[in-house]
Amino acid sequence: MTLSNRQFTSVGRSEFIAVEENVKLHVIDLGEGPTVVLIHGWPLSNAMYEYQYQFLVAKGYRVIGITLRGFGKSDKPFGPYNYDIFAEDIKIVLETLNVEDALLGGFSMGGAISIHFAAKYAGAHINKLALFGAAAPIWSEAEAVNGLIDLSVTNRPQLLENFGKIFGASETAISAPLAGWLGGINFEASFYATTQCLIALRDEDLREDLGKIKVPTAIFHGTKDIICGFHLAEQMHAGISDSYVVKFENSGHALFIEELEKFNSELLAFLTK
């Protein structure tokens, strides 16, 4: 695969990388040094890591943010949306950018996809794994997710508003400007990908993947997370042999902005271990 349509901006390099003949992913590639690769959650994009990019580049790291197919500025094809497809896409991007020995970090659905990537490819391209409020190993009860799928195909704005209300530790935990910023990112997602990824979140089971992870793993999780309850962090910790949990006592699901300073400092601490 080849790079195309590379752009240089005031904040770094933005490029589109082909993962299939007619599918290109938007990738942000900033800084120089040891590499950190970040995977966003549903239905966000690589834009969600704005405050991690700036912090890590200033600390001497190269940071790569990949927007999954169907989201943000990436192409939005019809077709399958599942963890296998996403993992394959990530591998092509890392191969194209010659990435080795990176920390791979993923938020929410992106955390689940990162687990699958590490298990499927036996740790290829990475030497550490960081999971942020990951929707794994099994996200939720099928019946509950079916209601979200129904709403996605009848009233997507209402679905996203409902999620916004429970994204933080409380309805007022995230400031109005930040909530508006996140909402804008959410609406860049394809309606089709939004629905199909809910189906994947409902159906994917990563319990067998946990035991296949052989790289050191940090599990960041909000103790007040309603979307991905803290019990998921405990299950991941029990299943991943070389792992530890960092509790975010004042965070819901949005730990990357609710406790921004702690999130960044704990990530840096894991990088320097």
Side-chain angles (χ1 to χ4, degrees):
M1 298 296 176
T2 58
L3 301 182
S4 63
N5 203 17
R6 177 175 288 192
Q7 299 172 333
F8 293 88
T9 71
S10 60
V11 295
R13 187 166 63 247
S14 175
E15 47 199 331
F16 292 86
I17 296 180
V19 292
E20 287 182 13
E21 185 175 354
N22 296 309
V23 180
K24 293 186 179 117
L25 303 188
H26 180 246
V27 178
I28 292 174
D29 186 355
L30 310 174
E32 296 180 350
T35 304
V36 179
V37 179
L38 297 174
I39 309 299
H40 64 86
W42 172 97
L44 292 156
S45 76
N46 59 17
M48 67 162 280
Y49 289 113
E50 176 175 336
Y51 305 108
Q52 283 67 53
Y53 297 143
Q54 297 180 77
F55 174 81
L56 290 170
V57 168
K59 296 295 183 181
Y61 288 88
R62 178 190 184 192
V63 193
I64 296 169
I66 302 172
T67 292
L68 303 170
R69 62 172 66 203
F71 299 91
K73 297 177 182 177
S74 290
D75 285 340
K76 301 172 174 64
F78 279 75
Y81 282 82
N82 56 54
Y83 294 176
D84 259 351
I85 292 288
F86 289 134
E88 289 167 10
D89 286 351
I90 291 167
K91 191 167 193 301
I92 291 169
V93 171
L94 299 187
E95 288 173 347
T96 302
L97 295 177
N98 299 313
V99 171
E100 297 294 341
D101 299 321
L103 180 148
L104 176 64
F107 169 69
S108 196
M109 183 184 75
I113 292 165
S114 296
I115 288 172
H116 190 58
F117 176 91
K120 180 180 176 71
Y121 296 112
H125 304 285
I126 67 172
N127 59 18
K128 290 183 178 179
L129 181 66
L131 307 171
F132 318 132
I138 299 174
W139 180 45
S140 187
E141 295 179 3
E143 185 175 335
V145 186
N146 286 339
L148 302 177
I149 293 168
D150 290 343
L151 194 55
S152 184
V153 298
T154 58
N155 193 340
R156 185 165 64 107
Q158 187 64 61
L159 171 68
L160 297 179
E161 181 180 325
N162 292 351
F163 261 84
K165 289 179 179 178
I166 60 172
F167 201 55
S170 68
E171 282 196 40
T172 58
I174 302 171
S175 70
L178 282 174
W181 167 64
L182 291 168
I185 297 172
N186 289 338
F187 275 109
E188 288 186 325
S190 152
F191 63 89
Y192 179 75
T194 298
T195 301
Q196 293 302 308
C197 285
L198 283 172
I199 294 171
L201 280 160
R202 179 193 66 190
D203 295 345
E204 298 275 6
D205 184 343
L206 300 180
R207 284 176 293 185
E208 291 188 1
D209 280 0
L210 297 182
K212 297 176 183 178
I213 295 173
K214 304 304 180 186
V215 296
T217 301
I219 300 166
F220 294 8
H221 219 99
T223 61
K224 299 177 182 178
D225 194 333
I226 297 174
I227 294 173
C228 293
F230 191 77
H231 66 283
L232 295 181
E234 295 170 334
Q235 290 173 23
M236 288 182 281
H237 179 44
I240 301 172
S241 58
D242 187 4
S243 67
Y244 69 97
V245 176
V246 180
K247 292 183 178 181
F248 286 74
E249 302 282 1
N250 299 313
S251 291
H253 198 48
L255 67 169
F256 64 100
I257 52 174
E258 288 181 277
E259 293 184 74
L260 174 62
E261 185 175 343
K262 178 177 179 177
F263 185 97
N264 288 351
S265 64
E266 289 286 355
L267 184 55
L268 182 62
F270 183 45
L271 279 162
T272 54
K273 270 192 171 185

